[in-house]
Amino acid sequence: MNKLPDRIRIKDIARLADVSVGTVDRVIHGRSGVSEASRKRVEEILEQLNYQPNMYASALASNKRYSFACLLPQHLEGEYWTAVETGIKEALANYSDFNTSAQISYYDPYDYHSFVDAGKAIVDSKPDGVLLAPTAPQYTKVLTDALNTCSIPYIYIDSNINELRPLAFFGQNSHQSGYFAARMLMMLTQNEKEIVIFRKINEGIVGSNQQENREIGFRQYMKEHYPDCRILELNLHAKRPSEDNIMLDDFFRQHPDVRFGITFNSKAYIIGEYLNQRQQIPFNLIGYDLLERNITCLKEGSVTFLIAQQPELQGLNGIKTLCDYLILKKEVTCINYMPIDLLTAENIDFYLKIPR
């Protein structure tokens, strides 16, 4: 065999197999119009050379369009999921050469049927891939079963459902995050006998697998290390925010000695802003996520710690992984845990300036 260049080109393979460049291209991409004898010669040469096609160039040349569907909880501008959408848009911009697009749909996190209905619409649209924030497993399964039937890959962000295995997952280890949060909270206390968990809830639905798993991890730590500490609960109405302050007034009136608490959702600012208004109430609060209102409460002292999980990066990496898998034919890592970052008023500004 003649000496070959360091970088094997299609024309080198064509010369060795004594066929045209077009024939080699058709064999590499599995297209028809090649005789069995020519296909066999080309495949033998490819195997001998361990040829790896340039998938980037091939994808560009194909001019195929890739449409993705994203299913996220309903939210207001500036809330947690806004950052996820920012990451999705950034990923689409990064892969714009490949004609990528995404349609974002929303579901009511306190209404499981809303998730099912939105999922059906997504399946009917026949996207190339799906990025979703799962709801309760039995309702998520309705969507993932349909996607599996259609051979549509899907990626979870925010929370993982092990029994409904996705192509990939990006998010925190929720259980470990809650376990860690309990340890941090109890480091603040001086042998307190009572602490409180604040929730946003609607008709018994918390609205997030992640919040539920964080609480499970939190309670496991408390059971193992502080079994005698009483855990109080205050469930604020998710769809009646006007009642928040009234319910918080009632709680602190009934429990004047409670000085430590946590909320597992991204709305620590609800309690933090209340505490700022009622400055006579000393309280240590741990919350989640870098919403502007949460950060303000952190700097003003009504939130003691925030635990961050990089939602923008979850959205970006979710779409990036779909592109890598579908377009560039790359192998992908299934479980991708985000860091559990503990932030205070003293280090928050440095964290916000960290480049990706």
Side-chain angles (χ1 to χ4, degrees), residues 7 29 53-63 98 328:
R7 183 171 179 270
H29 295 95
N54 185 336
M55 298 310 300
Y56 191 96
S58 297
L60 286 175
S62 73
N63 205 32
F98 300 108
L328 303 181

Side-chain angles (χ1 to χ4, degrees), residues 342-356:
L342 186 70
L343 303 175
T344 68
E346 292 74 22
N347 71 359
I348 181 66
D349 286 333
F350 302 105
Y351 183 87
L352 293 174
K353 293 176 182 177
I354 294 176
R356 281 199 303 273

Side-chain angles (χ1 to χ4, degrees), residues 63-197:
N63 205 32
K64 174 177 167 53
R65 295 187 176 275
Y66 293 88
S67 63
F68 305 126
C70 304
L71 182 55
L72 307 178
Q74 294 170 354
H75 58 277
L76 299 176
E77 181 67 26
E79 293 185 339
Y80 173 83
W81 294 101
T82 302
V84 172
E85 291 195 38
T86 298
I88 290 171
K89 293 172 184 176
E90 183 176 342
L92 291 171
N94 292 343
Y95 284 82
S96 60
D97 288 348
F98 300 108
N99 299 313
T100 56
S101 63
Q103 178 65 44
I104 301 178
S105 303
Y106 304 96
Y107 66 93
D108 182 343
Y110 302 102
D111 180 357
Y112 296 134
H113 298 292
S114 170
F115 179 92
V116 172
D117 291 342
K120 287 179 180 177
I122 284 175
V123 174
D124 290 343
S125 71
K126 295 181 173 56
D128 294 292
V130 175
L131 179 72
L132 70 135
T135 187
Q138 64 269 37
Y139 297 97
T140 301
K141 189 175 186 297
V142 175
L143 173 56
T144 58
D145 282 353
L147 293 174
N148 287 331
T149 298
C150 298
S151 298
I152 299 173
Y154 52 92
I155 289 177
Y156 296 150
I157 55 173
D158 191 56
S159 66
N160 192 22
I161 303 178
N162 290 326
E163 62 269 29
L164 304 177
R165 194 170 179 84
L167 173 66
F169 160 69
F170 292 91
Q172 280 187 348
N173 183 321
S174 302
H175 183 278
Q176 194 67 15
S177 176
Y179 194 92
F180 170 78
R183 183 180 181 186
M184 295 300 100
L185 182 64
M186 299 314 291
M187 286 176 63
L188 295 172
T189 70
Q190 301 295 324
N191 297 317
E192 292 292 315
K193 299 301 181 184
E194 292 183 326
I195 60 173
V196 57
I197 292 174

Side-chain angles (χ1 to χ4, degrees), residues 190-350:
Q190 301 295 324
N191 297 317
E192 292 292 315
K193 299 301 181 184
E194 292 183 326
I195 60 173
V196 57
I197 292 174
F198 298 103
R199 303 191 193 94
K200 270 287 189 180
I201 196 166
N202 184 67
E203 297 182 356
I205 299 176
V206 174
S208 165
N209 299 332
Q210 189 184 69
Q211 292 176 49
E212 293 182 354
N213 290 331
R214 286 171 180 165
E215 184 170 336
I216 291 170
F218 182 93
R219 289 183 179 275
Q220 180 181 334
Y221 180 90
M222 296 300 296
K223 182 178 180 180
E224 292 174 358
H225 299 279
Y226 296 90
D228 297 327
C229 182
R230 183 184 178 200
I231 301 177
L232 305 173
E233 302 173 3
L234 178 61
N235 293 329
L236 301 172
H237 295 302
K239 298 192 175 185
R240 299 206 296 271
S242 61
E243 299 179 6
D244 288 346
N245 284 3
I246 296 172
M247 297 182 71
L248 287 164
D249 279 338
D250 289 343
F251 175 83
F252 284 108
R253 189 180 304 113
Q254 296 169 21
H255 305 280
D257 297 326
V258 176
R259 293 291 179 264
F260 299 88
I262 187 168
T263 179
F264 299 112
N265 61 41
S266 62
K267 297 182 179 180
Y269 64 82
I270 292 173
I271 298 97
E273 290 173 355
Y274 167 86
L275 293 170
N276 281 334
Q277 295 168 9
R278 311 289 199 273
Q279 294 182 6
Q280 73 275 18
I281 301 177
F283 198 82
N284 291 273
L285 176 67
I286 292 180
Y288 280 80
D289 300 324
L290 301 188
L291 280 66
E292 287 188 14
R293 293 169 74 176
N294 285 349
I295 293 171
T296 298
C297 290
L298 184 72
K299 291 183 175 182
E300 292 178 348
S302 58
V303 171
T304 309
F305 293 138
L306 283 175
I307 298 176
Q309 56 177 331
Q310 301 180 344
E312 185 173 333
L313 206 55
Q314 292 182 43
L316 186 149
N317 284 337
I319 294 297
K320 177 182 181 297
T321 299
L322 284 173
C323 291
D324 286 347
Y325 178 76
L326 289 168
I327 303 172
L328 303 181
K329 313 303 179 185
K330 292 183 178 180
E331 292 186 9
V332 301
T333 302
C334 182
I335 303 298
N336 303 272
Y337 285 128
M338 308 303 294
I340 301 172
D341 297 321
L342 186 70
L343 303 175
T344 68
E346 292 74 22
N347 71 359
I348 181 66
D349 286 333
F350 302 105

